[in-house]
Amino acid sequence: MPHRNAAVLDRSEPWIQNAIERVLLSEDQIRARIAELGQQISKDYAGQHVILVSILKGSVIFLADLVRSLNIPVGVDFMAVSSYVGSETSGIVRVTMDLRESAEGKHVILVEDIVDTGLTLAYLKNLLKARHVKSLKICALLDKKESHRVEVPVDYLGFKIPSEFVVGYGLDYSEQFRNLPFVGVLKREYYSKPDKKQK
Ligand code: IMP
């Protein structure tokens, strides 16, 4: 008998119904797009070894699916940065956890959940370039292009989305909703209470 995931999310639960305005990207849409990204990356890096650097915590679910869509040898590493208070960016990026292994001389792809102002990726791009990586590209699941304050070219993009606060598929609001299998728009009333957020 095929294995079935025992815990299936019940979308009629009040904690979802009261918070999510609408589903922006379904599980099927996300899965299909990641398969395409995986093919593209595998083609571009054929014959090379690449390190996927996941920016904690929002990109871990994306990373987990992306890495399994690749047909090339890959390593993974993690960095954590903090820049957000509630749903508003403070504009100050701080590395709170650094890579375990040196990235020098390696092909690196930064894996990010979402580009909003672009400040996080611009900062990390400069930081890694200064460490003399062999090559550096950016893969992001979501991009709010209208919210950019600095231009950061995304080499591998899942979806361009409107400038609304979204949660699910790894993305949180104050450590909630990461476990939703889809990406949903958070209702506006959830933005009102600011609190400290670690990405
Ligand atoms: P940026 O530096 O403004 O581009 O911010 C990128 C980071 O902000 C992402 O890695 C997320 O952690 C967070 N972020 C931006 N927009 C959203 C959102 O709509 N939902 C959840 N997190 C977000």
Side-chain angles (χ1 to χ4, degrees):
M1 192 152 159
H3 171 74
R4 290 201 143 239
N5 191 345
V8 175
L9 186 80
D10 178 358
R11 292 173 194 213
S12 66
E13 285 283 338
W15 67 273
I16 299 176
Q17 288 294 317
N18 295 338
I20 304 301
E21 191 181 288
R22 65 181 195 282
V23 173
L24 192 65
L25 299 165
S26 70
E27 290 167 78
D28 286 347
Q29 282 174 290
I30 297 170
R31 195 180 307 115
R33 186 69 189 116
I34 291 177
E36 289 173 355
L37 289 175
Q39 275 182 8
Q40 186 63 52
I41 294 172
S42 302
K43 199 169 138 221
D44 293 353
Y45 287 86
Q48 322 253 36
H49 188 271
V50 59
I51 307 294
L52 301 188
V53 172
S54 161
I55 315 304
L56 295 173
K57 305 175 195 170
S59 70
V60 287
I61 295 182
F62 178 39
L63 173 82
D65 284 342
L66 182 69
V67 82
R68 286 177 292 175
S69 75
L70 297 176
N71 284 318
I72 47 167
V74 290
V76 296
D77 208 337
F78 299 89
M79 285 182 96
V81 298
S82 155
S83 64
Y84 268 69
V85 178
S87 65
E88 296 297 322
T89 179
S90 62
I92 300 160
V93 182
R94 201 164 53 90
V95 174
T96 55
M97 194 193 98
D98 211 334
L99 298 174
R100 185 62 75 87
E101 311 247 336
S102 165
E104 191 176 337
K106 295 179 182 164
H107 293 292
V108 172
I109 302 178
L110 273 173
V111 179
E112 179 64 303
D113 51 357
I114 186 165
V115 188
D116 185 10
T117 62
L119 291 166
T120 304
L121 280 175
Y123 177 85
L124 289 174
K125 212 175 163 182
N126 286 336
L127 185 86
L128 287 175
K129 274 192 171 163
R131 293 180 181 179
H132 307 293
V133 293
K134 196 168 187 180
S135 71
L136 182 62
K137 285 195 176 173
I138 290 175
C139 177
L141 180 68
L142 309 171
D143 191 358
K144 296 185 196 174
K145 281 209 188 324
E146 271 105 59
S147 301
H148 288 195
R149 283 203 229 158
V150 287
E151 243 1 272
V152 197
V154 177
D155 303 282
Y156 304 103
L157 175 64
F159 303 91
K160 188 182 162 207
I161 63 162
S163 294
E164 294 177 285
F165 200 82
V166 292
V167 292
Y169 197 74
L171 289 109
D172 76 313
Y173 177 72
S174 296
E175 282 307 324
Q176 289 185 82
F177 310 113
R178 290 194 198 275
N179 55 322
L180 298 179
F182 55 84
V183 172
V185 176
L186 191 65
K187 287 184 181 171
R188 283 220 165 250
E189 53 257 42
Y190 270 79
Y191 298 20
S192 50
K193 292 180 214 143
D195 68 14
K196 177 73 190 131
K197 180 185 171 202
Q198 292 286 314
K199 291 166 27 123

